[in-house]
Amino acid sequence: MPRCTRKGCGQDYDLATNDPSSCMYHPGAPVFHEGLKSWSCCSDVNKPVLDFDEFVKIPGCTVSSHTDEAPEVPAPAIKTSSIGSDLIMKETKDGAEVYSTGAPKFASPKPSIPPPVEAPVVEDEDDLDVPVTPGTVCKRRSCGAAFVSDEVNRIGDGDKTICTYHPATPIFHEGSKGYICCKRRVLEFDEFLKIEGCKKGRHVFAPKQRTEPQAEQFTDCRVDHYQTPKEVHISVFAKQVDKEKSTLVIEDNQIHFDLYVPGPKRFRRTIILFGPVDSDGSSYKIYNTKVEVVLKKLDTRSWTLLEKTTRDLGNISLTFGVGGRTGTIGGKDLVLDEQNTNRVN
């Protein structure tokens, strides 16, 4: 019995039963691209597959009768002297060959893109202060040395202290196996395990604990104040402020806070003051639970707010506090401005 020569069929057929609906085949060509396999004539219907056995099982997309004729071989491009140009053959989606005499168009070269910069490899270090149990295997890749004692494997420059290892991670790509740090590639996993290290250094039996620096965070702190005719007292409630790193600058019309608190956290704020102050006569103290600022006024007027504003506050006015360290709490002596003093008298 003859065998059908159409692509995708390949069946033996009987001439007596061969009719126009006996054969299902692919009129197009096979397409292999980046591991995917499909047919050009029906890639939109039959999805590309990865395995070759699955590719062979893709059913034909065209129906016809079987044939044992040899498949047509595309004719090579012919140069015609009458026209003086080369014939260009293109294959369409359905496998048909189209010839044209137009000049080939070349895609403009793409601008070169610099390769990405690889992050530096951070290698572990052996913590010599940590005791190691005999038999512990070196933590470096591809070393495999077993710990005997500090004198043999960790101290001095003996042969047993030298570690041959791979500093970078393994890479597996399309069946090949290797390490990023060196060029050798193998196919079998057993051979991959035998790839000798490409760098020499010290063994790592007990890696040092890495202390990653914590990202600094800005935080907010509660700010309270009260005033007397001559001073404005400000309290910033920030606990355990670092006195060495923190700064507080008092100017004639503003005050700058830059306080470092545990976390690590940081409080930064600039306050444009409601009124002018004597920066040389003002002072501050840092306590365990807060920061106290004493601003000396240049005049005895009452401050409506601590921070200057452009809004119209109307007839709002604030009374002065009373004497005492905590403002109005626990004060004994009444402190009045000049206007209220005249009223009392």
Side-chain angles (χ1 to χ4, degrees):
M1 295 176 64
R3 173 168 294 184
C4 182
T5 57
R6 294 190 188 276
K7 290 177 286 187
C9 179
Q11 297 180 5
D12 296 330
Y13 64 94
D14 188 355
L15 294 175
T17 58
N18 187 21
D19 56 57
S21 61
S22 300
C23 178
M24 294 185 63
Y25 70 101
H26 293 287
V31 178
F32 299 151
H33 180 64
E34 293 184 354
L36 295 175
K37 305 168 182 65
S38 63
W39 292 93
S40 62
C41 50
C42 59
S43 58
D44 54 343
V45 177
N46 296 311
K47 295 182 179 180
V49 296
L50 290 171
D51 190 70
F52 188 79
D53 293 335
E54 295 295 327
F55 166 72
V56 174
K57 296 177 183 178
I58 296 177
C61 57
T62 304
V63 178
S64 182
S65 58
H66 294 293
T67 181
D68 59 354
E69 296 180 2
E72 296 182 1
V73 179
I78 303 174
K79 186 174 182 179
T80 58
S81 58
S82 59
I83 302 177
S85 61
D86 293 336
L87 287 177
I88 302 172
M89 187 272 289
K90 296 182 180 178
E91 187 172 347
T92 61
K93 188 175 182 181
D94 59 357
E97 297 171 358
V98 180
Y99 294 88
S100 64
T101 57
K105 296 181 180 180
F106 298 96
S108 57
K110 296 181 180 179
S112 59
I113 301 176
V117 179
E118 294 184 1
V121 178
V122 179
E123 298 186 25
D124 290 327
E125 295 183 11
D126 195 23
D127 191 346
L128 300 180
D129 296 331
V130 177
V132 179
T133 304
T136 302
V137 179
C138 177
K139 301 298 188 295
R140 295 197 188 275
R141 301 181 186 93
S142 299
C143 175
F147 178 77
V148 177
S149 65
D150 288 343
E151 292 73 14
V152 174
N153 302 109
R154 306 176 91 181
I155 302 175
D157 298 323
D159 294 339
K160 299 293 185 179
T161 63
I162 300 175
C163 176
T164 305
Y165 65 100
H166 291 288
T169 56
I171 179 173
F172 301 102
H173 181 65
E174 294 184 353
S176 66
K177 304 169 182 63
Y179 289 89
I180 296 177
C181 49
C182 54
K183 296 181 179 180
R184 186 181 175 188
R185 299 290 184 268
V186 296
L187 295 175
E188 298 295 332
F189 189 76
D190 291 339
E191 294 297 324
F192 163 74
L193 296 177
K194 298 177 183 177
I195 297 178
E196 188 177 359
C198 59
K199 186 175 181 179
K200 293 184 181 297
R202 308 289 293 195
H203 293 297
V204 175
F205 296 105
K208 285 185 178 180
Q209 297 296 326
R210 298 177 186 174
T211 55
E212 298 292 340
Q214 293 180 310
E216 187 178 75
Q217 298 179 358
F218 287 96
T219 186
D220 197 11
C221 296
R222 182 164 63 93
V223 179
D224 288 349
H225 77 284
Y226 72 92
Q227 62 175 315
T228 67
K230 297 182 180 180
E231 297 175 340
V232 176
H233 296 254
I234 302 174
S235 297
V236 181
F237 292 91
K239 296 181 179 180
Q240 299 179 2
V241 173
D242 190 331
K243 297 181 180 180
E244 300 297 330
K245 298 173 62 177
S246 301
T247 58
L248 197 156
V249 180
I250 302 173
E251 298 180 1
D252 295 339
N253 59 355
Q254 59 187 350
I255 181 171
H256 305 278
F257 294 96
D258 191 0
L259 308 179
Y260 288 84
V261 294
K265 295 181 179 180
R266 189 176 180 182
F267 170 71
R268 293 184 66 181
R269 182 177 174 184
T270 297
I271 298 177
I272 307 298
L273 299 173
F274 185 84
V277 298
D278 180 4
S279 57
D280 295 332
S282 302
S283 62
Y284 69 90
K285 288 184 179 180
I286 298 178
Y287 297 97
N288 190 43
T289 57
K290 61 181 178 177
V291 177
E292 291 280 358
V293 183
V294 179
L295 302 177
K296 186 176 181 181
K297 295 181 180 178
L298 287 180
D299 52 47
T300 58
R301 61 173 172 164
S302 174
W303 286 18
T304 306
L305 297 172
L306 174 63
E307 194 164 4
K308 190 175 182 180
T309 179
T310 57
R311 294 183 299 168
D312 184 10
L313 301 177
N315 295 323
I316 298 177
S317 61
L318 302 180
T319 59
F320 290 114
V322 298
R325 178 176 175 274
T326 56
T328 59
I329 300 176
K332 298 178 180 179
D333 299 328
L334 182 65
V335 180
L336 301 175
D337 60 0
E338 183 178 354
Q339 182 180 359
N340 288 320
T341 302
N342 294 332
R343 290 179 180 177
V344 174
N345 295 333

